[in-house]
Amino acid sequence: MPEKDYYETLGVNRSASDSEIKKAYRKLAMKHHPDKGGDSAKFKEISAAFEILGDHEKRVKYDKFGITDDKQNNSPGFGVDPM
């Protein structure tokens, strides 16, 4: 399954500021929240996008590598002692 473009999910440009990302997330979250009659799958997708783009370090990693799954970074050989 191809990786989703989180910027497209939130409807912002790659050059969007932190405040623009937060504003877009809040608007979409209100619209698609399950308690407000929205689609829960769409809400989860929006929340996942904001979890990455809303955190500066995760956003930098996403922009550079496209890696969104933290499990990929915690495999042996990536600075984590398995013992």
Side-chain angles (χ1 to χ4, degrees):
M1 184 168 107
E3 189 174 310
K4 299 225 182 241
D5 181 4
Y6 289 147
Y7 291 100
E8 187 177 313
T9 300
L10 294 180
V12 296
N13 293 323
R14 289 192 173 273
S15 61
S17 68
D18 291 341
S19 63
E20 290 172 321
I21 290 172
K22 191 175 194 177
K23 183 178 178 180
Y25 165 73
R26 287 184 176 177
K27 182 178 178 181
L28 290 170
M30 290 291 288
K31 180 178 179 182
H32 295 285
H33 197 284
D35 290 347
K36 305 264 185 182
D39 181 16
S40 64
K42 182 70 173 172
F43 180 75
K44 287 179 184 180
E45 185 179 328
I46 293 164
S47 296
F50 182 68
E51 182 179 341
I52 299 299
L53 299 181
D55 181 290
H56 181 71
E57 289 181 21
K58 289 180 182 180
R59 182 178 179 185
V60 169
K61 285 181 184 178
Y62 175 74
D63 288 344
K64 190 170 185 179
F65 304 112
I67 296 173
T68 59
D69 186 5
D70 288 337
K71 293 175 190 171
Q72 293 174 346
N73 295 331
N74 290 335
S75 60
F78 285 93
V80 176
D81 185 2
M83 299 297 161

